[in-house]
Amino acid sequence: MKKTTIKTSVVLAALAGSALFFAAKPAPPKNAKSVKAADESGLKLPSGFSALIVADNLGQARHIAVTSSGDIYVKINRARNGKGILMLHDKNGDGKADDITGFGTYGGTGMAIKNGYLYASSDENVYRYKLDNQQHVIDGTKPEEIVHGLLSRHEHESKSITLDNAGNIYVNVGAYSNSCQKEDRQKGSMGRNPCPILDSAGGIWQFKADKLNQTYGDGTHYAMGLRNVVGLDWNQQDNQLFVMQHGRDQLHDIFPDMYTVQQSAILPAECMYAIKKGDDAGWPYLYYDQIQKKKILAPEYGGDGKKEGSAKAISPVIAFPGHLAPNGLLFYTGNQFPARYKNGAFIAFHGSWNRAPEPQAGYFVVFVPFENGRPNTEGKWEVFADNFAGSPDKVKSGRADHRPCGLAQGPDGSLYVSDDSKGTIYKISYNNK
Amino acid sequence: MKKLIIVLLLSPFCFLLMAQTKQKPKAKAASTKAKPVPSAAAKASAANGLKVFTQTCISCHQADGGGVPRMNPPLIKTPWVLGDQARLIKIVLNGFKEDVEINGDYYSNVMPSFAYLKDQDIADVLTYVRSNFGNKASAITVKQVTVARTANGK
């Protein structure tokens, strides 16, 4: 006990020392309060940024939405005590939620605010709640059901949502399969051709944001050939939908003669697609190889790791290493962060599991600078917020303390990040103006 | 006189020898009661179990058997790992995709069938699982796997 106190005090002294060192170098931060809080968050951020823990232990906090007054709605994956949506309010203005209320009995992932409504999804349905002029839900017990009956078959069950400016809502229906094999994930099992999953899953559906009781037949099959999308956002500059696809797993497990364990750990790419109505991203027939920079025919459909797939499929606008699991996408439109962040993309990478026995990776928030509504041409990206895992060893083993999932922008331009492992909500701000 | 000296000189050795031969069975008897010294067969099974685990289970259940939150369940002291042995063997033969709560949580990934594994490999990998990750359960024998496979029809 004594030993640990000595140790912690040494660490604290060292931390204090380095804080002084950093504080001395650039212009002194204006808001000393949140700099102190950044230490508590444990996150590693670019200089001038700091993070605050708004709330903790909320359960599996998936996607989030922030109101115009800074209250935070959090969608919980598995309802706790009959509450699947939490509202976090900060009464005393210290940045920490001190008033947490809940409603919505169902679990799920999707959470968005648009035109006076809060939108939320379970794994089958999409609901909305009318907001008052403070953007507070008027009656949490009476949601309107916008969409029902979406397929949820065990795998890739979450239904993420985003809205455009023309009254439409976009819903991901993930494929209930890894690569549409005859026997899912079984070694050597070949692909079903044509893949029967694609008519009702493995794509994005567009529905009317204000029409009740819609299901597949009422919506538009907006994009197909997307295995599973969790992070998606409407790009205001392009007026276009962007999505992050979770690439397929287990190339080595299923085709050990074609792929080494090491190749399987980094392939295929996790892809960002700019979507137009009618686009097909090619799942399950092909995958994107970020090293060869090609769309490669899937081994389940006769591929050998080199043969290219159909040219009809769209290409990603930027590709990331395999299995990092992009669960949140947000285009930054605020004015608080330095100018280079404006209109760029933040991506929350939940972190890998499918790399074992190779070391795991991810558990960070990435930034991609955009120029004229597209990622920079070199495909450059940078880690923006790191150390959600707690240590480099916890990254490697996959035993991460926190896993970033949802992203939202506050009215003051701060960036909010949710963690669905411990249920922590972070607020990242730029103070070094 | 000479003889006596030799005997006297040798006697400590005899004593040592006797002590050794006496100690051996004693150690053996103790070993079966407390910490078992693994037999050559058990060692081979453990090595093969680790090999099969690394080749076929690790990508989902992870090296420490702890699984992946919301995706793949842990293999640590679950009712399936520690419970009915024929049921455990059948999970490997048929795969597993059931909306069941496992140690307080639900898991959304799909486990495929591993019926292509040899009976020996299934016995070894399950013995490995049942004696690692904090589990302390008995071995699964090849015979149990053969019987379960016949009953299962695959």
Side-chain angles (χ1 to χ4, degrees):
Chain A
M1 190 59 218
K2 215 175 182 182
K3 222 176 178 179
T4 51
T5 26
I6 289 167
K7 255 193 203 159
T8 40
S9 53
V10 168
V11 169
L12 280 175
L15 272 174
S18 55
L20 276 173
F21 173 70
F22 281 118
K25 245 172 113 192
K30 270 185 187 168
N31 192 342
K33 204 171 170 190
S34 44
V35 167
K36 201 171 143 215
D39 297 341
E40 146 210 273
S41 83
L43 298 188
K44 291 208 175 84
L45 298 161
S47 78
F49 287 91
S50 64
L52 181 96
I53 290 179
V54 178
D56 219 342
N57 295 313
L58 299 180
Q60 298 174 356
R62 298 284 282 174
H63 285 173
I64 49 178
V66 184
T67 70
S68 50
S69 58
D71 292 328
I72 308 162
Y73 286 105
V74 185
K75 189 75 199 80
I76 305 294
N77 192 54
R78 262 184 83 192
R80 277 206 315 200
N81 309 322
K83 293 180 172 78
I85 301 172
L86 299 178
M87 194 191 84
L88 316 184
H89 178 68
D90 171 18
K91 275 197 270 191
N92 64 6
D94 66 352
K96 305 212 165 246
D98 42 30
D99 179 17
I100 301 181
T101 48
F103 56 97
T105 51
Y106 51 93
T109 291
M111 189 99 287
I113 291 174
K114 189 84 184 178
N115 296 340
Y117 284 91
L118 175 75
Y119 291 82
S121 70
S122 69
D123 291 343
E124 291 91 18
N125 309 327
V126 182
Y127 304 93
R128 71 172 187 175
Y129 300 82
K130 185 139 188 62
L131 298 173
D132 63 19
N133 55 11
Q134 291 187 58
Q135 294 200 322
H136 288 166
V137 165
I138 294 166
D139 187 350
T141 63
K142 290 200 187 73
E144 294 180 321
E145 193 179 78
I146 302 295
V147 185
H148 66 270
L150 300 174
L151 285 190
S152 170
R153 295 192 179 162
H154 212 73
E155 226 173 319
H156 306 146
E157 70 283 18
S158 64
K159 304 290 181 286
S160 306
I161 53 175
T162 192
L163 294 101
D164 65 14
N165 301 314
N168 299 304
I169 185 166
Y170 299 81
V171 187
N172 169 67
V173 184
Y176 43 94
S177 169
N178 176 37
S179 51
C180 209
Q181 291 170 285
K182 289 190 184 84
E183 298 294 339
D184 193 16
R185 296 179 187 265
Q186 195 162 307
K187 187 175 169 182
S189 173
M190 296 306 279
R192 293 192 280 167
N193 206 353
C195 173
I197 291 171
L198 287 169
D199 67 350
S200 49
I204 305 288
W205 270 260
Q206 181 198 51
F207 296 98
K208 291 270 164 270
D210 60 357
K211 199 174 145 195
L212 309 191
N213 293 319
Q214 302 169 86
T215 189
Y216 284 106
D218 308 298
T220 302
H221 194 166
Y222 196 76
M224 63 192 295
L226 287 159
R227 178 177 173 272
N228 185 33
V229 166
V230 187
L232 76 177
D233 195 16
W234 190 261
N235 185 310
Q236 302 295 343
Q237 239 191 346
D238 295 311
N239 201 29
Q240 188 176 6
L241 177 68
F242 278 64
V243 303
M244 294 294 315
Q245 178 184 237
H246 282 226
R248 52 139 333 137
D249 300 326
Q250 295 188 281
L251 283 166
H252 168 80
D253 287 348
I254 301 170
F255 293 94
D257 300 335
M258 262 181 244
Y259 298 89
T260 65
V261 171
Q262 289 76 19
Q263 284 174 318
S264 196
I266 55 165
L267 292 176
E270 305 285 56
C271 293
M272 179 193 284
Y273 293 104
I275 300 289
K276 291 192 304 296
K277 187 174 167 180
D279 275 347
D280 181 352
W283 181 90
Y285 308 109
L286 57 79
Y287 63 81
Y288 190 75
D289 179 324
Q290 75 275 22
I291 294 159
Q292 300 183 68
K293 296 195 165 57
K294 282 177 186 164
K295 284 169 279 187
I296 300 294
L297 190 64
E300 288 84 355
Y301 292 90
D304 59 0
K306 292 183 196 75
K307 275 188 226 163
E308 290 186 52
S310 161
K312 274 188 233 153
I314 56 168
S315 296
V317 290
I318 185 167
F320 301 86
H323 313 299
L324 301 183
N327 274 7
L329 172 66
L330 177 114
F331 290 105
Y332 186 75
T333 56
N335 295 317
Q336 185 192 112
F337 290 6
R340 66 182 294 264
Y341 291 97
K342 186 106 182 190
N343 298 315
F346 285 102
I347 304 160
F349 283 102
H350 198 235
S352 70
W353 58 270
N354 197 233
R355 290 184 170 213
E358 291 289 294
Q360 305 294 356
Y363 317 102
F364 48 42
V365 175
V366 154
F367 178 70
V368 183
F370 267 52
E371 287 158 19
N372 306 318
R374 283 290 181 274
N376 55 88
T377 43
E378 307 90 60
K380 276 210 194 105
W381 54 276
E382 63 206 39
V383 174
F384 173 75
D386 205 355
N387 201 37
F388 286 88
S391 75
D393 281 342
K394 288 180 179 179
V395 171
K396 281 187 209 146
S397 66
R399 294 284 160 246
D401 291 344
H402 302 277
R403 294 163 187 258
C405 181
L407 297 171
Q409 187 182 305
D412 65 349
S414 293
L415 178 71
Y416 290 82
V417 185
S418 66
D419 144 48
D420 67 0
S421 189
K422 295 241 165 61
T424 304
I425 308 293
Y426 302 86
K427 178 184 183 181
I428 301 175
S429 304
Y430 185 72
N431 318 91
N432 193 12
K433 283 188 183 146
Chain B
M1 191 57 197
K2 235 184 183 177
K3 261 187 189 166
L4 190 74
I5 288 172
I6 289 172
V7 168
L8 276 175
L9 275 172
L10 279 174
S11 57
F13 291 98
C14 289
F15 181 69
L16 270 177
L17 257 172
M18 272 168 66
Q20 260 188 7
T21 47
K22 242 188 190 168
Q23 235 175 345
K24 245 187 194 161
K26 217 183 182 178
K28 221 180 185 176
S31 75
T32 45
K33 265 187 219 149
K35 243 196 166 183
V37 173
S39 66
K43 269 190 193 158
S45 162
N48 189 46
L50 172 61
K51 192 176 138 208
V52 177
F53 187 82
T54 307
Q55 279 171 358
T56 51
C57 319
I58 210 170
S59 64
C60 295
H61 293 289
Q62 308 294 299
D64 61 1
V68 180
R70 303 195 329 104
M71 294 289 303
N72 307 304
L75 300 177
I76 302 168
K77 296 178 182 164
T78 73
W80 286 268
V81 170
L82 300 181
D84 184 73
Q85 301 178 8
R87 182 176 73 172
L88 176 62
I89 296 165
K90 267 171 53 185
I91 288 176
V92 177
L93 290 172
N94 299 333
F96 201 70
K97 183 186 174 179
E98 285 168 34
D99 287 314
V100 287
E101 198 176 302
I102 300 166
N103 284 11
D105 231 321
Y106 288 88
Y107 296 87
S108 69
N109 204 359
V110 167
M111 173 165 161
S113 153
F114 294 95
Y116 69 86
L117 288 173
K118 293 194 197 86
D119 289 1
Q120 179 77 57
D121 289 339
I122 294 177
D124 290 349
V125 77
L126 290 178
T127 301
Y128 176 81
V129 167
R130 280 163 59 88
S131 53
N132 279 282
F133 320 135
N135 301 321
K136 287 194 186 74
S138 60
I140 300 285
T141 65
V142 179
K143 200 171 158 218
Q144 280 177 294
V145 178
T146 311
V147 169
R149 198 194 284 270
T150 310
N152 190 50
K154 134 165 155 182

